[in-house]
Amino acid sequence: MNVRLTDAPAEYEEVNVDVQGLRIHYTPFGDDTTDVDPERDGKWIDLPVDPMIINLLDLTNGVDTLLSSADLEPGYYRELRLILGSENTVMVDGELERLKVPSGQQSGYKIKFKTELEAGEELDVMIDFDAGRSVHKAGRSGKYILKPVLKAFVEEGEEATVGSISGTVEAEMDASAWVYAVMGNDTTGTQIDAEGGFMLRGLEEGMYDVVVEPAGDEYSATTVTGVSVESGVETTVDPIELGDDD
């Protein structure tokens, strides 16, 4: 099993997290004489992790980094726990500010997740650390607080549970556009890269509207409707051209 980390971007210059460990809950498969409940039985396994400080904003639009790779026994895998250290920071206006992590998280931040690993199978698990929704500024003190918003998924192979949408936003000048995939109340967003490209990952199956919102007032918002997402599939939309905001 390979566990990788990616991010949805945030309106900060850097968001640096101090990764110290990673755990996963494991239950072996049962047999004809054993009744196994993956939710109740099993044990926690510490995955091998080299402690590292990662700038989450380097991990957007399809970019990720490997956190751990391990040979694991076949079985049911339920829930991950990401363990952070104390050296977490955010850069605002060129200044690094310490990110305070609430106490009581020694056991790690829970990430809802479930999959099965068969003998001889290789599985890539992605952890999405949403920097924008995880960093909060306290009203009175002005200090920054880290409350991680995390999800995990498999996006390739037979165990895939999600798909993705990719494409390019075309504009004559830098639009600094944000792109959102919207299905009902479910919204996932990212910001275009220097070439106008984007990738929205971890999307449940269904029909989405892709909404492009430029940061400035030179262009008007644009929506592409009826974009289908299937598990294990990267859906590429046609280049999206922004219109002038007349």
Side-chain angles (χ1 to χ4, degrees), residues 93-147:
D93 296 330
E95 297 291 332
L96 273 180
E97 304 280 351
R98 182 167 294 278
L99 271 172
K100 181 180 179 182
V101 177
S103 60
Q105 297 297 334
Q106 291 83 0
S107 62
Y109 291 92
K110 296 180 181 180
I111 310 172
K112 293 182 178 180
F113 170 75
K114 62 179 180 179
T115 192
E116 297 178 10
L117 183 64
E118 302 285 349
E121 182 180 24
E122 183 171 355
L123 203 60
D124 287 320
V125 178
M126 192 68 61
I127 296 175
D128 185 354
F129 198 133
D130 192 328
R133 296 169 60 198
S134 299
V135 177
H136 305 269
K137 187 176 183 180
R140 292 185 179 181
S141 67
K143 294 182 178 180
Y144 290 87
I145 301 171
L146 181 65
K147 297 181 179 179

Side-chain angles (χ1 to χ4, degrees), residues 151-205:
K151 65 178 179 180
F153 48 83
V154 178
E155 60 182 357
E156 295 182 356
E158 294 183 359
E159 299 297 330
T161 56
V162 296
S164 61
I165 298 174
S166 63
T168 304
V169 176
E170 295 184 344
E172 293 183 359
M173 63 184 71
D174 180 16
S176 299
W178 284 77
V179 184
Y180 302 92
V182 181
M183 182 175 66
N185 294 323
D186 185 12
T187 301
T188 299
T190 191
Q191 194 171 27
I192 62 173
D193 61 23
E195 287 74 40
F198 66 88
M199 177 175 282
L200 298 155
R201 306 174 79 167
L203 304 177
E204 302 289 339
E205 286 192 337

